[in-house]
Amino acid sequence: MTAPVFVVDAGVALRPGTVVLDGPEGRHAVSVRRLRVGEEVVLTDGAGTGAYGTVQAVEGKDRLDVSVTDVRTQDEPAPRVTVVQALPKGDRGEVAVETMTETGVDAIVPWQAGRCVTRWKGERGAKSLAKWRSTAREAGKQSRRLRFPDVADAASTREVAALLATADFAAVLHEDGGVAAPLATAQLPHSGHLVLVVGPEGGVTPEELAEFAAAGALPHRLGASVLRTSTAGTAALAVLLARTGRWS
């Protein structure tokens, strides 16, 4: 087993020496994971820096002193991959965020597509966004990442189109093999920014496809089978990471 990852509070310096882990993360380490003196741990800021060391002391139910011996910083990934995820029904949004984070996505943009059944409005929208961000953080820890994905505010179709227009490669997942080229054979850059759009359960509307095409994003398909919106992004992301060398 690789060492578990815990997130330090903002402002905590990750450096060789003794670093204190307390608060909710310290409680999880002490009371849930039941870490003991001498066990290996990794502390991260979630922005690419990791401090590697061992538990030096355990105090109460929510504090660890970690003896840090090595600090490493991960470079920004290249190419950077953003997935625009239409809002699924129920808890499938968190499933999508979790699996895409584990796979290696760099940013997730919730999209209020025209055919979305789920609507993020007011307090409900704020709670849903917070849940997506919490899911990304926990999945980042679980998958031993040092750099967690950004989860943006919910975007409109116009805002998604503006994002697509700035990308070095942009694609919209589409199930129609008659109009969609295989993602597995698309010409991909080895640097820059890749943006992938995943539609809702009811599909992307013709008007949305046209607006995205005008921004430079063409339809692509994964294969013969049709995936759920909550799993399509993860499958497509795996294709992109493998083909661009991110997984080499």
Side-chain angles (χ1 to χ4, degrees):
M1 286 285 291
T2 55
V5 173
F6 299 95
V7 184
V8 297
D9 292 332
V12 174
L14 294 177
R15 49 168 175 68
T18 300
V19 177
V20 175
L21 180 70
D22 54 13
E25 287 288 274
R27 179 174 294 276
H28 183 73
V30 174
S31 300
V32 179
R33 294 298 299 263
R34 299 187 180 278
L35 295 183
R36 297 292 180 261
V37 172
E39 293 192 73
E40 295 183 349
V41 295
V42 178
L43 306 179
T44 184
D45 57 4
T49 299
Y52 297 74
T54 56
V55 177
Q56 178 179 311
V58 177
E59 298 182 23
K61 296 181 178 180
D62 61 359
R63 172 174 168 144
L64 285 179
D65 290 346
V66 178
S67 177
V68 174
T69 56
D70 185 25
V71 177
R72 307 172 198 170
T73 301
Q74 284 185 346
D75 294 333
E76 287 275 0
R80 179 176 171 84
V81 183
T82 294
V83 175
V84 176
Q85 174 66 59
L87 305 181
K89 295 182 290 186
D91 63 355
R92 293 191 178 278
E94 290 91 86
V95 172
V97 171
E98 180 180 56
T99 55
M100 287 192 292
T101 298
E102 292 172 353
T103 303
V105 72
D106 302 303
I108 299 170
V109 178
W111 172 35
Q112 190 73 69
R115 290 175 175 167
C116 283
V117 174
T118 298
R119 294 286 160 180
W120 281 10
K121 295 181 179 180
E123 184 178 350
R124 176 185 178 182
K127 287 182 177 179
S128 297
L129 178 59
K131 190 174 291 186
W132 279 35
R133 287 173 172 165
S134 175
T135 298
R137 172 187 166 108
E138 293 306 310
K141 290 165 53 182
Q142 176 65 34
S143 53
R144 310 299 196 263
R145 291 181 59 164
L146 298 183
R147 190 181 297 276
F148 300 165
D150 299 319
V151 179
D153 293 339
S156 65
T157 296
R158 180 174 296 180
E159 290 168 331
V160 171
L163 174 65
L164 295 171
T166 67
D168 297 285
F169 172 82
V172 182
L173 291 186
H174 199 284
E175 64 188 68
D176 188 350
V179 299
L183 186 63
T185 59
Q187 293 294 318
L188 302 176
H190 289 280
S191 61
H193 187 198
L194 283 58
V195 181
L196 181 72
V197 177
V198 181
E201 286 89 347
V204 182
T205 68
E207 294 77 16
E208 290 166 341
L209 280 174
E211 188 167 352
F212 293 161
L218 299 179
H220 285 75
R221 69 179 187 275
L222 284 172
S225 60
V226 177
L227 280 68
R228 289 181 180 271
T229 183
S230 55
T231 55
T234 299
L237 177 64
V239 172
L240 295 181
L241 296 182
R243 294 196 57 228
T244 57
R246 287 268 301 265
W247 275 5
S248 63

